[in-house]
Amino acid sequence: MQTAALIKSYIYVVSSSLLYPVLILLAFLTFWAVVCGGALFSEWVRRHRIVRDTDGPDLFFKPDHALYTTPRVSRYVARLKGLLEKNGGASDLEVESLLQEATRRLFSSLDMYRLVVRVGPGLGLIGTLIPMGTGLAALGQGDLSMLSSELVIAFTTTVVGLAVGLLAYLFLVVKNRWADEDLLNMEVATEALAGSPQGPKANDATGASAGEAA
């Protein structure tokens, strides 16, 4: 019996000690959501200012190609041009490695949004259950004022956790769409500037076949 009581007391202490870290994390996530919302709006404005009258893949050969693409794509094109202009040129493997690295960085930047989508509601649930336990204990002792204060904390943490999770999901949907658009532009730029890796080989094979046929 003493062992069971000790375990219960330990679990209660651990559970109670989690309340303030959860509240701090929820406060941080609300601040993060406000900052991300402002950054998202700023990026939306910047994307709508991009010149849409383009010449297809040929725009990446223009010196002012940054006017037609996002800053992320412009930085990638600059790195790709620097790689292609180095002594001896760039191999297909180097070009592919650059594209893969840019793709990895592009989608890894969305990890925080995916994390908050799951963590926000979870923190809200934890912040709900801990005060509920304390409130029920206060109810058993007839302390209604403490019960009401604990219920306020419980319900507000639920609302904040769900709101943060919903905002993070909304941000993730928009950012993921923009990431797909940027990735498509990066692939088009790679094909335009570096050419298809199989292009020269295919052309040589075609020419050889035509020579043999002749």
Side-chain angles (χ1 to χ4, degrees), residues 35-50:
V35 173
C36 286
L40 194 75
F41 178 75
S42 176
E43 185 174 356
W44 177 82
V45 172
R46 186 167 58 246
R47 284 176 175 270
H48 278 70
R49 289 178 177 175
I50 295 175

Side-chain angles (χ1 to χ4, degrees), residues 102-153:
T103 303
R104 185 191 65 80
R105 290 184 179 181
L106 178 62
F107 287 102
S108 64
S109 64
L110 305 178
D111 289 343
M112 184 62 182
Y113 299 93
R114 298 189 185 97
L115 181 64
V116 176
V117 168
R118 301 296 182 90
V119 170
L123 291 176
L125 180 60
I126 294 174
T128 300
L129 296 179
I130 296 175
M132 288 290 289
T134 307
L136 291 176
L139 179 63
Q141 299 175 358
D143 191 351
L144 296 181
S145 62
M146 184 175 180
L147 172 62
S148 62
S149 64
E150 294 296 329
L151 288 179
V152 168
I153 296 176

Side-chain angles (χ1 to χ4, degrees), residues 80 83 86 88-100:
L80 179 61
L83 182 65
K86 72 177 185 178
S91 64
D92 294 340
L93 181 60
E94 290 176 316
V95 173
E96 181 67 21
S97 176
L98 179 63
L99 180 60
Q100 292 296 330

Side-chain angles (χ1 to χ4, degrees), residues 2-69:
Q2 294 180 352
T3 303
L6 181 63
I7 293 175
K8 290 179 182 178
S9 300
Y10 173 74
I11 295 299
Y12 176 78
V13 171
V14 172
S15 175
S16 300
S17 63
L18 290 176
L19 178 60
Y20 288 103
V22 167
L23 295 179
I24 292 172
L25 286 174
L26 284 175
F28 169 77
L29 289 181
T30 55
F31 177 75
W32 172 87
V34 171
V35 173
C36 286
L40 194 75
F41 178 75
S42 176
E43 185 174 356
W44 177 82
V45 172
R46 186 167 58 246
R47 284 176 175 270
H48 278 70
R49 289 178 177 175
I50 295 175
V51 178
R52 300 296 178 180
D53 186 16
T54 61
D55 298 324
D58 293 338
L59 71 91
F60 295 107
F61 293 96
K62 298 181 179 180
D64 59 344
H65 64 84
L67 297 175
Y68 305 93
T69 59

